[in-house]
Amino acid sequence: MAPRALIAGNWKMNLDRAAGEALAKALAAEAAAVSVELAVCPPAVYVASVGVALGSSGVALGAQDCHAAASGAHTGDTAAEMLADLGCTYVIVGHSERRADHGESDATVHAKAEAARRAGLVPIICVGETEAERDAGRTLDVVEGQVRGSVPQGLTGATLVIAYEPVWAIGTGRTPTADDVATVHAHIRKVLGEVSGDAANVRLLYGGSVKPANAAELMAVANVNGALVGGASLKAGDFLGIAKATP
Ligand code: PGA
């Protein structure tokens, strides 16, 4: 049986405190009406207030990044332990915007995923090829390399989520075909079998321009167990529309 789908919202650097709390409350009110698991990942400064707004609704709380260390002289950074302290369940690590904007390597992402495990958080580890890599026919090689380099050994369906996000599909309105997504997700599942004894139960999310209009097709693809949603996670109606279209 496929694992229960997860629809996770990556708010990125958007929404102010009031707007984030209002969105969280709107999602909390509808959580019981959807069969999938919902999660939101607000900006770090709002994780605490959004957590309060979600209350005991069952909508999970996540963050967008963490540092590899548990504490120390790391100005501006946030430890996974601090996120756990605020009630987070998830933390996104290795998002392509952090790989690009902050030069995060697979080794960095691996260390952050280990930090998440240490703190009792579930890392949502992001992988995905650039357009140039896709055009060069290197998609599977690139994604396989990122999985091998970024995913710690021994995590399970309960402690690991992977998001496949083609860089060229993020925020562009463009998406791969269902067949392309199926090919990449099957490959990730296969490679994951070498680093996790529980690969069949690890949720593999698709991310990149997911919206209500394309969610049914993308979420029905084999080995797709939910979505990581950016732009369409900023409006309750769109985010819930994606959740309702997900089997
Ligand atoms: P998008 O972003 O849905 O706006 O394309 C997805 C992501 O970056 O996680």
Side-chain angles (χ1 to χ4, degrees):
M1 208 178 97
R4 185 182 180 211
L6 169 66
I7 304 296
N10 172 12
W11 294 359
K12 308 193 179 182
M13 201 169 70
N14 293 300
L15 305 177
D16 62 14
R17 179 173 173 158
E21 287 181 23
L23 175 54
K25 283 184 184 154
L27 299 178
E30 291 290 325
V34 297
S35 59
V36 300
E37 180 182 0
L38 298 177
V40 294
C41 302
V45 288
Y46 299 133
V47 167
S49 58
V50 166
V52 171
L54 293 174
S56 57
S57 62
V59 179
L61 185 63
Q64 299 173 14
D65 178 48
C66 66
H67 195 275
S71 65
H74 302 289
T75 302
D77 276 311
T78 307
E81 281 75 2
M82 296 169 179
L83 301 172
D85 192 23
L86 294 180
C88 284
T89 301
Y90 296 103
V91 60
I92 299 168
V93 294
H95 189 281
S96 65
E97 286 151 16
R98 292 208 59 89
R99 290 179 186 260
D101 295 356
H102 300 270
E104 293 191 3
S105 65
D106 285 337
T108 309
V109 177
H110 188 282
K112 291 182 174 198
E114 282 287 13
R117 167 171 28 202
R118 184 188 64 224
L121 298 178
V122 177
I124 300 174
I125 302 176
C126 301
V127 297
E129 82 287 359
T130 63
E131 185 152 37
E133 288 163 343
R134 168 160 292 242
D135 290 346
R138 297 184 51 226
T139 297
L140 294 183
D141 280 354
V142 167
V143 170
E144 176 171 340
Q146 290 172 331
V147 170
R148 290 187 190 282
S150 308
V151 180
Q153 295 273 338
L155 293 170
T156 68
T159 57
L160 171 65
V161 175
I162 293 182
Y164 167 56
E165 300 203 305
V167 177
W168 53 272
I170 294 175
T172 60
R174 297 163 57 206
T175 56
T177 65
D179 280 354
D180 286 344
V181 174
T183 300
V184 177
H185 277 235
H187 195 66
I188 293 173
R189 185 85 68 198
K190 179 166 154 267
V191 174
L192 200 54
E194 297 170 31
V195 292
S196 168
D198 194 33
N201 291 313
V202 173
R203 288 173 295 181
L204 306 184
L205 311 185
Y206 168 77
S209 296
V210 179
K211 51 189 183 208
N214 61 22
E217 186 186 8
L218 290 166
M219 295 301 106
V221 172
N223 285 305
V224 171
N225 312 114
L228 182 57
V229 185
S233 73
L234 300 176
K235 289 198 180 121
D238 287 351
F239 191 60
L240 292 165
I242 292 166
K244 285 174 184 160
T246 302

